[in-house]
Amino acid sequence: MRISKEELKTLMKNKIQKAGLTEEHANGVADVLVHADARGVHSHGAMRVEYYAERIANGGINAHPNFQFDKTGPSSAVFDGDNGAGHVAAKLAMDEAIKMAKENGVAVVGVKRISHSGSLSYFVQQAAKENLIGLSVCQSDPMVVPFGGAESYYGTNPIAFSAPGENNEFITFDMATTVQAWGKILHARSKEEEIPDDWAVDENGEPTTNPFDVKSLTPIAGPKGYGLMMMVDVLSGILLGLPFGNKVSSMYHDLSEGRNLGQLHIVINPEYFTNLNEFKKNIAKTMADLNNIKPASGFDHVSYPGQRSAEREKKYSEQGIEIVDDVYNYLISDKVHNNAYNNKDPFAK
Ligand code: NAI
């Protein structure tokens, strides 16, 4: 099913509003979700709406949060999301970080007590659109083994970065610190296909190729990805006085409770370090240099980070966004949700 970005955003906004969020917050959530679908990151777009709707309807996302912004120093602040919609809180906190970095050169803004905030490229691109460098990290539910471990401790703890080039183009890097997202394992299950042996482990911590035996995911690049997950957890959890490590709340556990997650935005104003035009020119040069690298066999060209997503965004804006039929049918249905997620075991067969 292919629909326009505007239509998809409206359908998502209406459903989230029907679940209980205010129109303003529903619109804010839908904006982040449609950004993900428009870039081809469908794991963080419309397919999440039913889960959010169930959590909102159960009270686990605060429909009327009391957002508080506490400026703790010239370049530091904490935004308390009161367990409202994470997408909205993270966006507003980034708006504040942008103002601070414009005034003081750098801003570090913690976003605490939020629900899931979606695809982090949205927030770092807010900064890049204002000629700033954006960096954002956040906690996620524990479903990853630390290197050498046989049980989960960290989440898929993502890291995102964006910097402005020329002509409104950005270099944007945005990744989970796991080899693969959980969604890819579900996909292999649905097709009854084997998975590569470096994606996940079974209940004994042994690598598995059977998607039905998966009990935990694996960090990228062994101890190095594990180290990055630790760093994300310190910056977006411990630093903000939040639950950390395997005490981070799980996505589907008790949908009536707030998730108390954390996120950290770091914004750097290039003008405080170098000439802005020179900086943007050199980012554009980096993008061009990478595109001109001789491709290895099996590749027809080298893309810079974020290029493929930007190309999809352009294509989908002309041709519409491809949405799974089931997701579309749910969005146009009268149902707010189907009671599918509360206390669901994500690893259940
Ligand atoms: P991915 O594996 O699709 O892409 C990771 C990065 O690699 C991207 O920056 C992409 O531009 C780049 N890339 C991919 N293929 C490339 C190629 N051929 N050439 C050059 N660059 C290439 O992303 P992943 O790890 O699946 O994450 C998806 C989304 O999930 C992200 O938006 C992330 O923020 C989000 N996420 C959110 C979480 C949360 O709790 N809020 C938790 C985990 C992930």
Side-chain angles (χ1 to χ4, degrees), residues 323-349:
I323 293 295
V324 173
D325 288 352
D326 283 354
V327 172
Y328 178 74
N329 290 335
Y330 158 72
L331 288 175
I332 59 167
S333 73
D334 289 335
K335 281 235 165 170
V336 171
H337 64 85
N338 293 295
N339 279 318
Y341 293 103
N342 201 13
N343 287 316
K344 177 179 158 189
D345 172 4
F347 293 107
K349 291 189 179 178

Side-chain angles (χ1 to χ4, degrees), residues 89-127:
K91 186 215 176 260
L92 293 175
M94 181 54 92
D95 287 341
E96 297 294 343
I98 288 168
K99 277 188 224 153
M100 288 167 65
K102 284 186 176 173
E103 277 169 27
N104 294 319
V106 193
V108 182
V109 176
V111 201
K112 70 175 186 184
R113 299 174 63 231
I114 56 170
S115 61
H116 191 247
S117 67
S119 178
L120 300 197
S121 60
Y122 182 92
F123 312 108
V124 291
Q125 286 195 349
Q126 281 180 255

Side-chain angles (χ1 to χ4, degrees), residues 41 44 116 118-120 138-140 156 158 172-176 303 305-306 308:
V41 186
H44 286 70
H116 191 247
S119 178
L120 300 197
C138 78
Q139 298 177 304
S140 172
T156 54
T172 302
F173 179 61
D174 177 23
M175 64 151 199
S303 300
R308 290 162 19 125

Side-chain angles (χ1 to χ4, degrees), residues 61-72:
I61 293 179
N62 186 349
H64 301 282
N66 180 16
F67 288 154
Q68 304 261 3
F69 181 68
D70 182 14
K71 200 155 178 287
T72 54

